[in-house]
Amino acid sequence: MRIVVALGGNALLRRGERPDAAVQQVNADRAVTALAALARDNELVITHGNGPWIGPRIGPLAVGGATDLALAPPCPLDVLSAQTQGVIGSLLVRALRDALPGRQVAALVTHTVVRADDPAFERPTEFVGQAHSREVAHALARERGWHIAKDTTGWRRVVPSPTPEAVVEADTVHALLSSGTLVVCAGGGGVPVTADRGTGGLTTVEAVVDKDLTAALLAEELKADLLLILTDVPNVYADFGTARQQPVLDVTPAQLRDGAFSEGSMKPKAEAAARFVERTGGLAAIGALDAAYAIAHGTSGTLVRPELAL
């Protein structure tokens, strides 16, 4: 079976943890332990988030001189995206090689094509970088042409989150899979680019692509049998966080979309799962990282399946 796994960013750096190398490697080992049994008997592609790095890791680099506007402009987001793909890919490859001796493993920096006219470019919503006071944030916005918005921790930069249209290296991933290689790729949604219709040339854009939507698209392009979205809860819940909270164990895409999910948490995961199932007729599942094997075998998590034919 061909499985695309979407690891949440908190699988490698949990909330509140420092982004130290030792901490990240311990968490990478834990994630790989959960996936090793699946990898032994299946073709596996592992995608991953970089959310925790957007604050403690990307944040200081992306903001540059947050308190000193005389400092050089910050590194572009496309460079930072490629950097985090390399760092996290290396952590996972080392852990996978230890857990699966003799298995070929490769980490690949990938690019995700988006439309230059995507409406998201007119409505930046994705928070990146560190939080600042209102005064510092507005000074940075004036100096660097940023959009800023207030979240629960303060004022932060916001960037567009356009819809992924294609993964540039999908054919390369397919070739690696066909040779028996386990592939780590599409970290953080991939480096966002636009493609020239005439030449095919790629141009990077200041944006962040949703990692789960990219994983769903890649699973579609690879003709995967299963999209497995792993997070820090055992399954999807209806009315999450209320007295009416109930686990959702078996659901269709339409039913899943009817759920009132948080925009920054379960909603993009639910949309990614629904989109993959609708477009391919395959299966998707959402659940806890440590239960990955059980979820793939239908004994844990939330199964998202096609509508039953009448």
Side-chain angles (χ1 to χ4, degrees), residues 89-182:
S90 176
L91 292 170
L92 289 170
V93 164
R94 294 201 302 269
L96 287 162
R97 289 178 66 87
D98 288 344
L100 302 164
R103 183 74 176 269
Q104 293 298 313
V105 184
L108 189 65
V109 173
T110 59
H111 301 76
T112 303
V113 176
V114 300
R115 293 196 339 263
D117 61 351
D118 191 302
F121 286 106
E122 301 299 322
R123 298 189 301 273
T125 58
E126 186 73 20
F127 286 103
V128 298
Q130 296 171 312
H132 303 285
S133 68
R134 185 179 184 278
E135 293 74 18
V136 169
H138 278 77
L140 287 167
R142 288 192 300 271
E143 175 72 15
R144 294 168 181 169
W146 288 352
H147 295 275
I148 59 168
K150 194 175 187 301
D151 74 355
T152 57
T153 60
W155 290 82
R156 298 175 65 194
R157 183 186 180 189
V158 287
V159 299
S161 184
T163 300
E165 299 289 331
V167 176
V168 175
E169 294 82 5
D171 287 346
T172 303
V173 176
H174 189 277
L176 288 167
L177 279 177
S178 298
S179 71
T181 302
L182 190 158

Side-chain angles (χ1 to χ4, degrees), residues 32 96 287 302 306 309:
V32 166
L96 287 162
T302 297

Side-chain angles (χ1 to χ4, degrees), residues 8-305:
N10 289 321
L12 296 176
L13 192 66
R14 301 179 186 182
R15 292 179 178 89
E17 289 184 331
R18 290 176 55 85
D20 297 331
V23 171
Q24 294 175 54
Q25 190 64 64
V26 167
N27 288 334
D29 292 343
R30 169 178 168 264
V32 166
T33 297
L35 296 175
L38 276 181
R40 291 189 182 98
D41 301 321
N42 300 282
E43 292 182 328
L44 215 63
V45 175
I46 301 173
T47 72
H48 57 81
N50 64 359
W53 279 264
I54 289 177
R57 194 69 171 174
I58 286 183
L61 296 173
V63 172
T67 58
D68 184 353
L69 299 183
L71 292 182
C75 197
L77 283 177
D78 59 283
V79 175
L80 299 174
S81 174
Q83 181 187 48
T84 56
Q85 286 192 64
V87 170
I88 301 171
S90 176
L91 292 170
L92 289 170
V93 164
R94 294 201 302 269
L96 287 162
R97 289 178 66 87
D98 288 344
L100 302 164
R103 183 74 176 269
Q104 293 298 313
V105 184
L108 189 65
V109 173
T110 59
H111 301 76
T112 303
V113 176
V114 300
R115 293 196 339 263
D117 61 351
D118 191 302
F121 286 106
E122 301 299 322
R123 298 189 301 273
T125 58
E126 186 73 20
F127 286 103
V128 298
Q130 296 171 312
H132 303 285
S133 68
R134 185 179 184 278
E135 293 74 18
V136 169
H138 278 77
L140 287 167
R142 288 192 300 271
E143 175 72 15
R144 294 168 181 169
W146 288 352
H147 295 275
I148 59 168
K150 194 175 187 301
D151 74 355
T152 57
T153 60
W155 290 82
R156 298 175 65 194
R157 183 186 180 189
V158 287
V159 299
S161 184
T163 300
E165 299 289 331
V167 176
V168 175
E169 294 82 5
D171 287 346
T172 303
V173 176
H174 189 277
L176 288 167
L177 279 177
S178 298
S179 71
T181 302
L182 190 158
V183 185
V184 179
C185 64
V191 178
V193 295
T194 58
D196 185 281
R197 292 183 179 179
T199 66
L202 303 178
T203 302
T204 57
V205 292
E206 286 283 280
V208 173
V209 183
D210 182 83
K211 64 179 178 57
D212 295 312
L213 292 182
T214 298
L217 177 63
L218 181 62
E220 179 183 349
E221 292 178 318
L222 296 175
K223 296 181 171 54
D225 301 292
L226 174 67
L227 171 64
L228 182 57
I229 300 176
L230 300 177
T231 183
D232 55 0
V233 294
N235 42 249
V236 175
Y237 289 94
D239 299 314
F240 181 73
T242 72
R244 302 184 303 278
Q245 177 175 305
Q246 292 291 331
V248 177
L249 304 180
D250 187 287
V251 68
T252 66
Q255 292 166 339
L256 190 59
R257 285 200 177 97
D258 284 341
F261 302 120
S262 169
E263 189 70 43
S265 180
M266 188 56 71
K267 188 171 182 177
K269 296 175 175 60
E271 176 58 31
R275 193 172 298 189
F276 172 73
V277 173
E278 285 177 337
R279 291 182 176 182
T280 69
L283 298 175
I286 304 172
L289 169 64
D290 293 335
Y293 187 87
I295 297 168
H297 288 80
T299 59
S300 184
T302 297
L303 175 67
V304 187
R305 55 173 174 76

